[in-house]
């Protein structure tokens, strides 16, 4: 009996050591794939936005991210260490100019820290805080050929700038040449040829801050300035009726419109909108005389040097 007890005790001891009857689960961490950078967006005011992809199923494996930055292949320096696992982008101040800037994202997992691949871009030598939005270039229909209309808007430290703008142009990738100056946030280049590639840059005269480079090829598919589909109709009011004017315009985004009216074919046109309007509809609520014909026309104008205008055909409406 004593011998049997000793055998049972030894058997149980060995089972405890060898885990008899138990399934052993190893303390392992599932395979981890670090985030992958997708793009760098260059923003105004010396800022960049960095975007990356990270599988949502791996978020529980990560305590957080931190982002590091390097200049011209130098050592990486910490920028931010409070990036959450569900974050997919970050916007950062980027004052560095004239060289290579690199970023990497470090994932703090349960066991260790894993680095992403490195993403880089070349910072321009000119700061990006001069212009709120990219300079836009539009092919505008001219008398005998298309013209290039440039427009822009300032922001940031230059928002109150009141000096000259210098417009520079490159023809077929040649060196940039100054083609004009203006104190207005727009410029019309009438010295163009169909089939030629042009690029434009706008600079501030005081500190040489420059816009983005705007490429454009002059083709015959230009945008017309003239009002189109001009229509007149009566609106019946409680006490009197008014005249509703409708028209279309391809340049409605940055054109002004002026409505003219006269009470006889031989009369003189009166400007009903002396300061101009930015919509393509207008209601004439002035008193209409009975048994009178009224004549209307629309003039559109874009701000350029000199101002560029186009006039609609005259339309008649009879108040009988």
């Amino acid at each position: 009996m004593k011998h049997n007890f000793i055998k049972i005790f030894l058997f149980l001891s060995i089972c405890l050591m060898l885990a008899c009857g138990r399934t052993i689960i190893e303390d392992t961490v599932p395979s981890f794939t670090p985030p992958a950078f997708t793009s760098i967006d260059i923003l105004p005011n010396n800022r960049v936005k960095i975007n990356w992809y990270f599988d949502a199923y791996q978020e529980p494996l990560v305590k957080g991210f931190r982002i590091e930055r390097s200049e011209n292949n130098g050592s990486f320096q910490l920028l931010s260490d409070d990036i959450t696992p569900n974050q997919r982008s970050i916007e950062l101040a980027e004052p560095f100019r004239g060289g290579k800037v690199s970023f990497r994202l470090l994932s703090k997992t349960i066991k260790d820290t894993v680095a992403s691949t490195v993403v880089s871009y070349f910072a321009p030598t000119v700061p990006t805080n001069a212009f709120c939005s990219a300079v836009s270039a539009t092919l505008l229909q001219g008398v005998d050929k298309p013209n290039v209309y440039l427009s822009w808007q300032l922001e940031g430290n230059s928002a109150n700038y009141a000096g000259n703008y210098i417009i520079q142009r490159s023809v077929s990738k040649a060196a940039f040449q100054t083609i004009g100056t203006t104190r207005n946030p727009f410029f019309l280049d009438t010295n163009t040829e169909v089939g030629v590639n042009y690029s434009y840059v706008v600079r501030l005269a005081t500190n040489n801050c420059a816009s983005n480079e705007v490429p454009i090829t002059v083709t015959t598919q230009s945008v017309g300035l003239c009002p189109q589909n001009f229509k007149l109709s009566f609106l019946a009011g409680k006490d009197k009726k008014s005249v509703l004017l409708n028209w279309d315009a391809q340049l409605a985004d940055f054109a002004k419109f002026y409505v003219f009216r006269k009470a006889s074919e031989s009369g003189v046109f009166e400007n009903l909108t002396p300061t101009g309007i930015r919509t393509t509809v207008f209601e004439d609520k002035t008193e209409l005389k009975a048994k009178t014909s009224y004549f209307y026309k629309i003039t559109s104008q874009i701000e350029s040097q000199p101002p560029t205008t186009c006039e609609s055909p005259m339309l008649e409406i009879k108040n009988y």
Side-chain angles (χ1 to χ4, degrees):
M1 184 74 177
K2 182 178 181 180
H3 291 291
N4 290 337
F5 176 78
I6 294 173
K7 290 181 180 179
I8 293 172
F9 177 78
L10 290 175
F11 175 77
L12 292 175
S13 299
I14 294 172
C15 278
L16 288 173
M17 293 175 61
L18 298 179
C20 294
R22 288 190 302 145
T23 301
I24 300 177
I25 301 176
E26 295 184 1
D27 184 17
T28 60
V29 176
S31 60
F32 176 76
T33 303
F37 284 116
T38 56
S39 65
I40 295 182
D41 301 326
I42 311 302
L43 306 176
N45 288 331
N46 296 329
R47 300 186 69 79
V48 295
K49 183 180 180 183
I50 304 170
N51 308 282
W52 61 85
Y53 169 79
F54 183 58
D55 193 333
Y57 291 105
Q58 299 203 67
E59 289 181 6
L61 305 179
V62 180
K63 296 181 179 180
F65 299 121
R66 73 171 185 258
I67 195 163
E68 296 182 341
R69 175 182 175 278
S70 165
E71 297 177 1
N72 289 329
N73 298 322
S75 60
F76 279 92
Q77 304 294 325
L78 177 65
L79 280 183
S80 177
D81 60 356
D82 58 352
I83 304 174
T84 59
N86 62 347
Q87 198 167 329
R88 297 296 183 269
S89 66
I90 187 172
E91 188 174 319
L92 300 167
E94 183 48 73
F96 183 65
R97 295 289 148 218
K100 181 182 179 182
V101 182
S102 302
F103 298 94
R104 70 180 181 185
L105 200 63
L106 301 180
S107 309
K108 295 178 286 187
T109 67
I110 298 173
K111 280 193 170 184
D112 51 20
T113 300
V114 182
S116 70
T117 55
V118 175
V119 64
S120 305
Y121 83 104
F122 285 89
T125 56
V126 179
T128 60
N129 66 339
F131 294 90
C132 172
S133 58
V135 173
S136 63
T138 303
L139 281 179
L140 179 65
Q141 189 176 45
V143 176
D144 56 351
K145 61 183 178 182
N147 302 318
V148 176
Y149 180 73
L150 306 172
S151 61
W152 57 91
Q153 184 178 3
L154 293 173
E155 78 157 15
N157 297 332
S158 301
N160 297 321
Y161 178 74
N164 284 330
Y165 303 101
I166 301 172
I167 292 84
Q168 296 184 328
R169 185 183 74 175
S170 168
V171 182
S172 300
K173 298 185 178 180
F176 279 90
Q177 303 289 331
T178 298
I179 61 171
T181 60
T182 177
R183 297 184 75 87
N184 300 308
F186 48 82
F187 183 81
L188 183 68
D189 182 11
T190 59
N191 186 22
T192 58
E193 298 294 336
V194 174
V196 178
N197 299 320
Y198 297 95
S199 291
Y200 295 87
V201 168
V202 180
R203 298 183 181 275
L204 305 188
T206 55
N207 58 11
N208 206 36
C209 285
S211 74
N212 58 303
E213 182 178 322
V214 185
I216 191 169
T217 301
V218 175
T219 68
T220 57
Q221 302 299 314
S222 57
V223 175
L225 176 62
C226 294
Q228 301 171 344
N229 302 320
F230 183 26
K231 299 174 184 177
L232 300 175
S233 59
F234 283 118
L235 289 179
K238 182 178 180 181
D239 301 320
K240 63 178 182 179
K241 59 184 176 182
S242 58
V243 178
L244 182 67
L245 296 80
N246 288 280
W247 63 94
D248 298 327
Q250 291 176 296
L251 294 181
D253 290 341
F254 47 81
K256 279 188 176 182
F257 302 97
Y258 300 87
V259 179
F260 295 87
R261 186 193 73 174
K262 62 182 181 179
S264 67
E265 195 165 4
S266 59
V268 177
F269 274 108
E270 173 191 4
N271 189 350
L272 302 182
T273 57
T275 59
I277 58 175
R278 299 254 181 207
T279 61
T280 56
V281 61
F282 178 78
E283 184 180 358
D284 181 10
K285 298 180 180 180
T286 56
E287 190 77 29
L288 299 176
K289 296 180 180 179
K291 298 182 180 180
T292 304
S293 291
Y294 289 92
F295 300 84
Y296 292 87
K297 67 177 182 180
I298 307 295
T299 297
S300 57
Q301 176 180 305
I302 62 167
E303 296 169 321
S304 61
Q305 295 174 324
T308 303
T309 62
C310 189
E311 192 172 281
S312 73
M314 183 177 65
L315 291 185
E316 177 185 6
I317 191 169
K318 296 180 180 182
N319 186 27
Y320 291 105

